[in-house]
Amino acid sequence: MFTKILIANRGEIACRVIRTARKLRVHTVAVYSDADARSLHVEMADEAVHIGPSPVGESYLRGDRIVAAALATGAQAIHPGYGFLSENPDFVDQVVTAGLIFIGPSAASIRAMGLKDAAKRLMEKAGVPVVPGYHGEAQEIVLLASKAREIGYPVLIKARAGGGGKGMRRVEHPDDFSEALSSARREAKAAFGDDRVLVEKYVDKPRHIEVQVFGDNFGNAVHLYERDCSAQRRHQKVIEEAPAPSMTPALRKAMTEAAVKAAKAINYSGAGTIEFIVDASQGLKADRFWFMEMNTRLQVEHPVTEMVTGTDLVEWQLRVASGEKLPKTQSEIALSGHAFEARIYAEDAAKGFLPATGTLHHLKFPGVAPEGAAMRIETGVRAGDAISPYYDPMIAKLVVHAGDRQAALEALRTALAQSEIAGSTVNTAFLAALAADPDFAAGDVDTGLIGRHQEALTAVAPPTGEIISAAVLAASGAGALPSSDDPWSSLAGYAHFHGVARRMRLKFGDEQIQAKVSMRPDGRFQVALDAPYDSTNSHDFRAVPRLVRWPAHITVFEGAAGYAFTVPDPLARSDEAAAASGSLRAPMPGLVKLVRVAKGDAVIKGQILLILEAMKMEHTIAAPHDGVIAEIAGEGAQVTDGTVLVRFVEEQSASNSATS
């Protein structure tokens, strides 16, 4: 076993690797960028080395700096985590050339599976079924469009490099192919440095089921059963589970045998995942699954496999890389119970899952697992940490395990309802809605489920009068929560002979809230809300709501939802004039990738004005109304959250222009 390893990653996965290394008494070296100087993985590691500025291209993708850090600290091996350089064969070559061990597969194995088109040709030769499509080298648009017609619409355009849903577009009609191809290529180029694509038949009711495989350097390979990752938005996984619901013995046998066959075809060593697309339109059948791709690394969702098999896959990685055989044979690996993993992101589900940033002023997860279940919280952040625009906005993975699917699902719902995050927009309410969706609860899940139910799943219920009253009370100062050593805090609103009434003003989004807080003769506080609520709520400390105060805000928690109220500064200048000036601001930090209109152009409501790239994904900025462009950001401009992207000609000026 190694005595010291370097972890070439950050965040949640770096922390995950450190925990297992500690268990094995292996010392760890962290690497970090400017943005991560005070991050949790740096604090947890035995040593830490700075490798560059915040952008990934200047830090976590600098293989030379990572290798130099390993050599300087005396590390014997490098664990890549997932993402970044984990599936880069050139980096593996750098590591090996430096006399270090790469904790993962060989460069040859990664190259064999690194490009989807080449991998599918290899799998065809190995007898593994592949989805119908064009996986060739030619990339001319005329050829790709003709292949799409041969395959038959709808088709799926996919980047041949990388994963995570980037560079992927579904196309329903030939007229839309050109635009979808251009968009997929731009996104693939930005994410992976490779804009080549393949075209495949789109399966009508696809299930995304993957098999965890593991190989060693002695020719052994096993599977650790399957995971279902069909609950996806924008081709990115949201909730994963193991085993797959409604899995039949025949399909499981066929898929796991195919997965092991695929691993052995490339002499695979280490943790890997064989991803299959399954046609569930007529139930799960052994002849209706096809190879999609292989992830030659540890997957984000690996904890659900660990939960149902009782294994530590990171420990297996370290043991195999250090020269040991697989810890278990196939007959020794058994399934037990059911597990779910929910990915908690800083994102706004109601706005098309836009990534969000912000400081996590409050971060609290359940202290104990729901009754009858086991629970893991995998995270790389703490309260007070910031969600940076430079990296993936994942906050945590909430993982639960119970005896069966229904019990595990109930544990997931309970744990989500008890999680509290304030300071950034998060997706916990969406996750809770998905976990409660009747189709999801029944196990009738396919990759289109979220898209079909998106409006209902992402709907934001308005705050009730009780929630608003709790926020008003907290903002007034009268709602200071009492503690055992401060019996007088409950008298904060007391006045001799009569109650003191206080006018309060809050904001919820763009909505202004006016209220009056007073104290009743019985010692309870009373909150009277102005129109449109026109309600009165009395409050005592026997039923204190879940809420937290943070700078200029109060967040009230109701189940898995958090309602953030702004407490206006009465001395601050009103921004109403700015809001009425007719402009569009960047919803998040990003890069202006493409501009579709110019100054002076007349546009109509819904017309695409520009494309903003943020966190390696493209987001369209459309006109909210008809108007004339007065000013627009230039292509290549790097913008921050709130930067003015587009200004419209004022209405009077526009009408003058039209009549002149």
Side-chain angles (χ1 to χ4, degrees), residues 214-535:
F214 220 108
D216 62 20
N217 296 310
F218 299 90
N220 302 307
V222 297
H223 70 81
L224 290 94
Y225 299 95
E226 80 282 352
R227 299 183 288 256
D228 195 303
C229 306
S230 301
Q232 302 178 7
R233 52 99 175 100
R234 293 169 56 158
H235 303 294
Q236 291 184 309
K237 302 165 187 175
V238 176
I239 296 180
E240 302 99 343
E241 60 182 299
S246 305
M247 174 59 73
T248 65
L251 179 58
R252 175 173 288 147
K253 182 176 185 295
M255 290 184 72
T256 54
E257 286 180 353
V260 172
K261 185 185 297 184
K264 288 185 174 181
I266 57 171
N267 300 313
Y268 195 78
S269 176
T273 298
I274 310 296
E275 299 193 350
F276 296 101
I277 193 78
V278 181
D279 182 355
S281 59
Q282 299 177 7
L284 298 184
K285 296 184 177 181
D287 62 348
R288 302 295 290 169
F289 75 96
W290 302 279
F291 171 86
M292 285 199 303
E293 61 182 324
M294 182 178 189
N295 292 122
T296 52
R297 54 170 167 79
L298 197 66
Q299 290 280 85
V300 177
E301 59 272 21
H302 76 273
V304 293
T305 293
E306 294 182 322
M307 291 290 231
V308 297
T309 58
T311 57
D312 182 335
L313 294 179
V314 175
E315 179 178 342
W316 281 34
Q317 286 185 299
L318 296 181
R319 291 194 180 281
V320 166
S322 66
E324 297 181 25
K325 289 186 177 181
L326 287 173
K328 290 184 178 182
T329 63
Q330 189 66 69
S331 63
E332 295 173 317
I333 304 170
L335 278 174
S336 176
H338 203 97
F340 283 97
E341 174 183 287
R343 302 189 188 191
I344 299 176
Y345 281 99
E347 66 181 13
D348 193 336
K351 293 182 178 178
F353 302 102
L354 281 179
T357 56
T359 299
L360 301 174
H361 291 283
H362 178 76
L363 184 64
K364 180 182 177 183
F365 295 108
V368 295
E371 185 176 356
M375 180 179 67
R376 285 166 56 174
I377 304 295
E378 302 281 352
T379 185
V381 295
R382 304 149 295 187
D385 286 351
I387 300 300
S388 165
Y390 297 105
Y391 314 119
D392 186 274
M394 181 189 290
I395 295 172
K397 301 184 308 193
L398 194 159
V399 190
V400 296
H401 176 263
D404 56 48
R405 189 176 190 272
Q406 186 56 44
L409 188 57
E410 186 58 40
L412 178 66
R413 294 168 182 160
T414 300
L416 284 168
Q418 294 174 351
S419 299
E420 300 177 0
I421 304 172
S424 176
T425 303
V426 295
N427 68 338
T428 48
F430 160 72
L431 293 172
L434 178 57
D437 179 86
D439 288 345
F440 186 88
D444 185 13
V445 186
D446 63 81
T447 59
L449 183 145
I450 291 176
R452 292 192 300 272
H453 300 184
Q454 185 165 332
E455 185 175 350
L457 293 173
T458 61
V460 179
T464 63
E466 184 176 346
I467 290 173
I468 297 172
S469 296
V472 168
L473 191 63
S476 73
L481 302 184
S483 61
S484 58
D485 59 353
D486 183 14
W488 306 109
S489 60
S490 63
L491 302 179
Y494 176 78
H496 196 46
F497 297 127
H498 61 84
V500 176
R502 181 179 178 186
R503 295 292 301 177
M504 292 297 302
R505 183 168 66 93
L506 294 180
K507 285 185 68 178
F508 181 73
D510 295 328
E511 184 180 356
Q512 298 283 347
I513 297 171
Q514 303 281 346
K516 181 173 70 174
V517 180
S518 58
M519 190 171 189
R520 291 162 46 116
D522 61 6
R524 292 188 296 170
F525 291 102
Q526 180 171 289
V527 179
L529 302 176
D530 291 359
Y533 300 97
D534 292 325
S535 65

Side-chain angles (χ1 to χ4, degrees), residues 584-586 590-599 609-612 621 629-640 643-648:
L584 286 175
R585 297 179 181 272
L591 174 73
V592 178
K593 193 70 175 180
L594 190 66
V595 176
R596 293 287 187 84
V597 296
K599 180 179 179 180
L609 306 180
L610 57 83
I611 294 174
L612 184 69
I621 305 297
I629 303 297
E631 184 180 347
I632 190 164
E635 286 187 10
Q638 191 77 43
V639 298
T640 60
T643 298
V644 174
L645 296 174
V646 182
R647 292 189 190 277
F648 294 95

